Amino acid sequence: MLRPVVRLLLKNGVTWKEFADLSKSIYVEVAGDDYGISGRQTNASRVSILTGLTRREVKKQRDQLAGVPAPRPGKTSNATRLLSGWFQDPEFADDGGTPRVLRREGESGSFEALHRRYGGDIPAVAMLKELTAAGAIRETEGGLQAISRYYMPSPLDPETVVRAGSVLNDLGTTVTWNLTRPEDEPSRFEGRATEPRVPLRLVGNFRDYMEARGQAFLEEVDRWLHQHRLEPDDDTQAARLGVGVYMIANEDSSDQRITEK
């Protein structure tokens, strides 16, 4: 589980000592949140026993966690939300979900109107520049055209690293749930299909296949989620739902063939 995480950390210059210091707060946070009684936070003594940290260190880490502000929606989430609106909102897309070509400005049916509705607190000019640079949209003679439904920053851009952490967190949470869930709770879907003896020359073909089929599947799921989302003023209890799709490629793998759920 740690190997891909350490690869990412080393690529970004994070040393073992820095990772060890960071992991202290995560140990304290998880032990405090997950091992309390009757929904209360776990007391410092039990956290100390569970984590192996001293009570003084537990208090120090809790004080640090209390001083960390809640994360704000970043450039990535705002950009993806804007692009999704472009593909889904009837004002900006046709009945088949094809995004319309938009003029830059205007009270309705424009990029300005789209940004006002979905762009968050990122300035419209900055958003347009970023999405253009990322290849998500392009400017044509008729106006602005959406190329991609999702925003992906440049590799190792801070926003990309944050997104990678979110992906690993979602996958890890699902795997951990399936390993530790109560007997009376259902498992969460998690499956793979791999084959270790595919000709190396076909890696590109498989990548193209996954880009097409994986994207189509995600768009189908996205439509379902969009149809069932709550309105902003609806105070009904809600849950975050979704699915992730990722390509597996390991040129020196000796794993056995896997097709499992």
Side-chain angles (χ1 to χ4, degrees):
M1 288 188 290
L2 282 176
R3 188 171 288 113
V5 175
V6 171
R7 268 197 202 103
L8 180 61
L9 295 175
L10 289 176
K11 183 73 73 171
N12 286 274
V14 179
T15 66
W16 171 83
K17 180 65 166 60
E18 290 170 322
F19 174 67
D21 289 340
L22 174 64
S23 69
K24 288 181 183 179
S25 64
I26 306 301
Y27 264 82
V28 170
E29 183 178 37
V30 173
D33 292 345
D34 291 7
Y35 291 87
I37 299 174
S38 300
R40 297 193 299 271
Q41 189 180 53
T42 316
N43 63 47
S45 295
R46 190 170 188 216
V47 172
S48 176
I49 293 171
L50 289 168
T51 63
L53 298 170
T54 65
R55 293 179 77 253
R56 176 176 295 183
E57 186 64 36
V58 170
K59 182 180 184 307
K60 175 183 176 183
Q61 295 300 325
R62 279 184 164 173
D63 289 343
Q64 290 179 354
L65 287 168
V68 176
R72 300 177 58 192
K75 178 176 61 179
T76 300
S77 58
N78 283 328
T80 296
R81 183 168 55 248
L82 181 144
L83 290 169
S84 293
W86 199 339
F87 278 79
Q88 294 174 341
D89 193 318
E91 183 177 336
F92 309 103
D94 63 25
D95 293 338
T98 300
R100 295 191 175 99
V101 176
L102 305 180
R103 60 186 186 279
R104 282 175 176 260
E105 300 176 347
E107 287 299 314
S108 63
S110 66
F111 184 83
E112 179 185 19
L114 176 70
H115 178 270
R116 190 164 52 243
R117 189 171 300 175
Y118 298 105
D121 59 357
I122 306 297
V125 174
M127 180 71 79
L128 177 58
K129 181 178 180 181
E130 181 64 31
L131 291 175
T132 302
I137 66 175
R138 68 185 175 192
E139 188 158 13
T140 68
E141 292 183 0
L144 299 172
Q145 181 182 26
I147 304 301
S148 171
R149 192 181 186 120
Y150 299 98
Y151 165 73
M152 176 60 69
S154 303
L156 295 187
D157 177 283
E159 290 287 340
T160 311
V161 177
V162 171
R163 179 187 178 280
S166 175
V167 171
L168 289 172
N169 180 69
D170 284 341
L171 177 59
T173 298
T174 294
V175 171
T176 300
W177 168 263
N178 287 343
L179 289 172
T180 63
R181 65 184 173 87
E183 291 184 1
D184 58 342
E185 292 285 352
S187 63
R188 296 172 183 171
F189 180 85
E190 181 271 310
R192 295 181 295 170
T194 70
E195 167 57 60
R197 292 183 54 79
V198 178
L200 189 60
R201 69 178 184 278
L202 296 181
V203 170
N205 298 64
F206 182 64
R207 183 184 299 110
D208 293 341
Y209 170 80
M210 279 301 304
E211 287 287 342
R213 295 296 298 274
Q215 182 68 20
F217 173 66
L218 288 176
E219 290 181 7
E220 178 184 341
V221 173
D222 196 42
R223 283 191 291 273
W224 190 96
L225 295 171
H226 181 74
Q227 291 169 0
H228 294 84
R229 69 176 181 175
L230 296 172
E231 295 298 326
D233 57 352
D234 191 332
D235 58 0
T236 303
Q237 189 173 7
R240 175 176 177 257
L241 296 179
V243 66
V245 177
Y246 58 96
M247 175 178 163
I248 299 171
N250 188 348
E251 295 173 8
D252 59 355
S253 174
S254 59
D255 295 340
Q256 297 300 310
R257 175 177 176 171
I258 301 173
T259 303
E260 60 187 29
K261 173 182 175 184

